[in-house]
Amino acid sequence: EDQVTQSPEALRLQEGESSSLNCSYTVSGLRGLFWYRQDPGKGPEFLFTLYSAGEEKEKERLKATLTKKESFLHITAPKPEDSATYLCAVQGGTSGSRLTFGEGTQLTVNP
Amino acid sequence: NAGVTQTPKFRVLKTGQSMTLLCAQDMNHEYMYWYRQDPGMGLRLIHYSVGEGTTAKGEVPDGYNVSRLKKQNFLLGLESAAPSQTSVYFCASKGDSRGYNEQFFGPGTRLTVL
């Protein structure tokens, strides 16, 4: 059974204060690790897909990295508009097209 | 493209009532999914479809039924609503001819069962 654990549950940062969110996973044959952003009252918005250990992807102030056991979402010099819940999900080799999601990290960036 | 749309956006039901949630996508995606999202439990898969005319059970299928009669539509039905089905429901789709693997989500339906 695929499992995803995200930490911390909530994170408060000052504008410009860089930090990282963690996604630890257990999966049989990783076929993809996904990061999503979710704003209050809206559906998750796709950010990144990572497929193999060592892979990195960047988008504006966000960078996602992947090891064999965990993924990090690094946020560099965040702005208040980066405040959201960030979700991590995995697609395992035995789960077909299905994703297993973590509970998310709620990020608040204060001006 | 509108992407993934869901109707209705909000609904209040009484225990025992039935309803159908509609999901539509205009991206020619093969795969479609229904999730529910509850505080402290993350997104959980209810049912999914790998193509027109197919359906399969996810993690929490009890109390729900689905149909995929047309490729662009995926319906989620509650035959006899229960308070435990109070939740936010999200539809997602993926899989076009370009082979992208990510799921795209709709805006959600907030359902309250009294």
Side-chain angles (χ1 to χ4, degrees):
Chain A
E1 181 180 333
D2 301 339
Q3 291 186 329
V4 177
T5 303
Q6 293 188 245
S7 62
E9 289 184 13
L11 181 63
R12 283 187 177 273
L13 300 174
Q14 289 299 121
E15 185 171 2
E17 180 187 2
S18 301
S19 187
S20 297
L21 312 183
N22 177 263
C23 172
S24 296
Y25 65 90
T26 303
V27 68
S28 178
L30 182 69
R31 296 177 58 190
L33 185 141
F34 304 83
W35 282 99
Y36 286 84
R37 169 192 171 126
Q38 186 174 23
D39 293 302
K42 297 191 175 182
E45 176 187 348
F46 171 74
L47 292 174
F48 304 109
T49 308
L50 302 168
Y51 290 102
S52 58
E55 189 175 0
E56 299 182 352
K57 288 193 176 174
E58 289 189 64
K59 180 180 180 180
E60 296 180 355
R61 295 176 292 283
L62 301 177
K63 183 168 81 172
T65 62
L66 181 66
T67 73
K68 289 186 178 180
K69 294 183 178 180
E70 57 193 350
S71 177
F72 291 93
L73 186 64
H74 307 277
I75 303 176
T76 302
K79 298 182 177 182
E81 53 261 42
D82 294 322
S83 297
T85 296
Y86 291 86
L87 303 173
C88 173
V90 295
Q91 181 182 7
T94 59
S95 59
S97 68
R98 294 166 291 169
L99 297 182
T100 299
F101 280 84
E103 293 182 25
T105 293
Q106 185 174 358
L107 174 66
T108 303
V109 182
N110 296 316
Chain B
N1 285 352
V4 180
T5 58
Q6 294 182 233
T7 53
K9 288 184 169 48
F10 303 93
R11 186 71 186 269
V12 178
L13 290 179
K14 294 182 179 179
T15 297
Q17 288 185 319
S18 63
M19 77 163 295
T20 300
L21 282 68
L22 171 63
C23 175
Q25 52 93 4
D26 62 0
M27 297 174 283
N28 200 34
H29 283 173
E30 290 294 332
Y31 301 82
M32 296 187 75
Y33 308 82
W34 276 108
Y35 293 89
R36 59 178 290 173
Q37 187 174 42
D38 304 289
M41 307 208 57
L43 280 160
R44 293 181 293 168
L45 184 64
I46 304 171
H47 286 282
Y48 64 104
S49 168
V50 300
E52 181 179 313
T54 75
T55 62
K57 294 180 179 179
E59 181 185 356
V60 288
D62 294 343
Y64 306 95
N65 57 75
V66 288
S67 65
R68 183 108 181 262
L69 298 180
K70 294 182 179 180
K71 185 177 183 178
Q72 63 268 34
N73 295 338
F74 196 29
L75 279 62
L76 178 70
L78 286 72
E79 291 185 347
S80 179
S84 60
Q85 294 176 305
T86 293
S87 186
V88 181
Y89 292 85
F90 289 102
C91 177
S93 69
K94 79 159 195 176
D96 59 15
S97 59
R98 295 170 297 176
Y100 292 148
N101 202 27
E102 58 270 17
Q103 294 183 16
F104 294 91
F105 284 80
T109 295
R110 184 173 296 274
L111 175 66
T112 302
V113 182
L114 303 176

